[in-house]
Each structure stands twice: as C-alpha cells, then as structure tokens.
Amino acid sequence: AAAASPGDSALAVRLDAKTQSATVEEEEAHVESKTIVATEAVGKAQRYTKTSTDTKKSAKLMANSEKEEWSIKVAENTRERTAEEKEAKRRKKAEEEAAERRRKAEEEAAERRREAELEAANKKMCKNASITVDRAVVLLVHDPSIDPYVKVTYRGPVNKNLTFQTTYEGHTANPTWDHTETVVLCNKYAPMRFEMYDRNWWTDTL
C-alpha cells in the first residue's frame, strides 16, 4: 500500500477534530435540552402546586362562605319560627280570652233571664199588704226597765227575706207601738216572724 501523504494525515486530523467538536456540541445541546425540559417540568410542577394550593384555598373559602350562608339561613329560620310561635301563642291567648268573655256574658245573660223569669213569676203571686204591730201586754220578763221593740221578717219579691222594725217603747213591760208597714208579700206559704228585742240587749230576744 502506498504511504499516506502528510496532506492526507492533516485532513484526517481535521475531520476527526471536527467530528469530535460536533459530538461535543450535540452532547451540550442534548444536555441543554434536558436542562430546558427539566426546567419546564419544575415550572409545571410549581404551577401545579400553586394551582392546587389556590384550588384548596378557593375550596376552603367557598366552604366558609357556604357555612356562613347556612348559619345565616338557620338564624333566619330560627327567628321566623320564634316569631310564628309567639304569634300562635298570642292568637291562642286572644281566642281563650274571647271565649272566656263570651262564656261570662252568656252566664250573666242567663242569670238575668232567670232573675227576670223569677221576678215575673213572683209578681204574679205578689200582693200588697199592711202589717200592723199594735202592742204587747205583760211581757214575761216583768221588768219595767226594758225598752222593747219588734222586728218583722217576711218573704218579699225575688223570693228574698225582708225585715222592718218598730220604734222602741222605753221602760215598760206593756209597750204600745201601733206601727203599720205596707209591704209586698210574694209567698203565701212562707211564714212571717215577729221577734221582740230589748234595745239594751242587741242579741237576745225577749
């Protein structure tokens, strides 16, 4: 084989150097590409982390907002329910008071009707009369210091007991009153009572 010339050797060296230089550049470009990719990945990761954090914050804020709205609604419902309960109690009390007033009015009206009916019935039986308390002769006490008088009780209108009394006669056991009273008698079956008292003794009959 023919020996290589110096020119060929120099060319080969230059080609080899160029090849090695291209290889180094490719490797550097590859490393730079990897660095860019890694940087982009880190950026994406950071953006994802930030987005995730923002999403969590947003979700938390939304949850707090919903909780606050729910609390407001609960408070409003409670106030409305309390107001409705108070109104219901007020209406119930007013209805009970109205019913009590109606009951009392009906009872009073019924009582007035009964009294009117009784009075009307009594009027049919009532008669005008005169009762005279004349005198007493020789009272059992035989005490000339007594001051005797008489109380008379009779049945009047509306089936009530009524009373009148004479004046007293001073210091005598033989009093003369000659007292006449005009009355209305409404029950002919009811007895009249004549009771004699000493003015000096309010509780004891003679």
Side-chain angles (χ1 to χ4, degrees):
S5 65
D8 291 336
S9 299
L11 178 62
V13 169
R14 285 197 299 271
L15 290 175
D16 185 53
K18 186 180 291 186
T19 301
Q20 290 179 357
S21 176
T23 302
V24 170
E25 289 177 355
E26 288 177 358
E27 290 179 356
E28 289 178 353
H30 182 67
V31 170
E32 184 178 357
S33 176
K34 286 184 177 181
T35 301
I36 292 172
V37 170
T39 302
E40 290 178 352
V42 170
K44 287 182 180 180
Q46 290 176 345
R47 286 195 299 274
Y48 174 79
T49 302
K50 184 177 184 303
T51 302
S52 178
T53 303
D54 292 343
T55 301
K56 289 181 180 180
K57 288 181 179 179
S58 178
K60 186 176 181 180
L61 290 173
M62 186 177 296
N64 290 337
S65 177
E66 291 177 352
K67 184 177 180 181
E68 184 177 356
E69 290 178 0
W70 182 81
S71 299
I72 292 172
K73 288 182 180 180
V74 169
E76 289 176 352
N77 291 336
T78 301
R79 285 195 297 269
E80 291 176 358
R81 186 168 60 252
T82 301
E84 290 174 356
E85 290 175 353
K86 287 182 178 179
E87 179 62 19
K89 289 180 179 180
R90 187 193 66 77
R91 287 197 300 269
K92 183 178 179 181
K93 184 178 180 180
E95 291 172 358
E96 290 176 349
E97 290 175 350
E100 181 65 15
R101 287 194 297 270
R102 286 194 299 270
R103 185 187 64 80
K104 288 183 178 180
E106 291 172 357
E107 289 180 353
E108 290 173 357
E111 182 64 23
R112 287 194 297 270
R113 285 195 299 272
R114 284 194 296 269
E115 290 179 355
E117 291 171 358
L118 182 59
E119 185 176 359
N122 286 334
K123 284 182 178 178
K124 292 179 181 179
M125 297 186 297
C126 292
K127 302 292 182 182
N128 291 327
S130 294
I131 300 174
T132 299
V133 181
D134 186 19
R135 58 198 172 96
V137 179
V138 188
L139 296 177
L140 295 177
V141 292
H142 298 293
D143 183 356
S145 67
I146 63 174
D147 299 329
Y149 67 95
V150 176
K151 281 186 178 181
V152 180
T153 302
Y154 62 95
R155 189 67 55 84
V158 200
N159 208 31
K160 290 183 179 179
N161 287 330
L162 302 176
T163 301
F164 70 88
Q165 68 183 47
T166 68
T167 58
Y168 71 92
E169 289 290 306
H171 306 293
T172 179
N174 298 284
T176 299
W177 297 285
D178 193 20
H179 180 97
T180 300
E181 191 85 13
T182 300
V183 299
V184 177
L185 299 177
C186 295
N187 189 337
K188 64 181 179 180
Y189 300 106
M192 286 189 293
R193 293 199 307 272
F194 293 82
E195 298 173 310
M196 190 178 302
Y197 292 85
D198 181 358
R199 188 172 70 97
N200 301 312
W201 298 91
W202 287 94
T203 58
D204 297 331
T205 60
L206 296 174

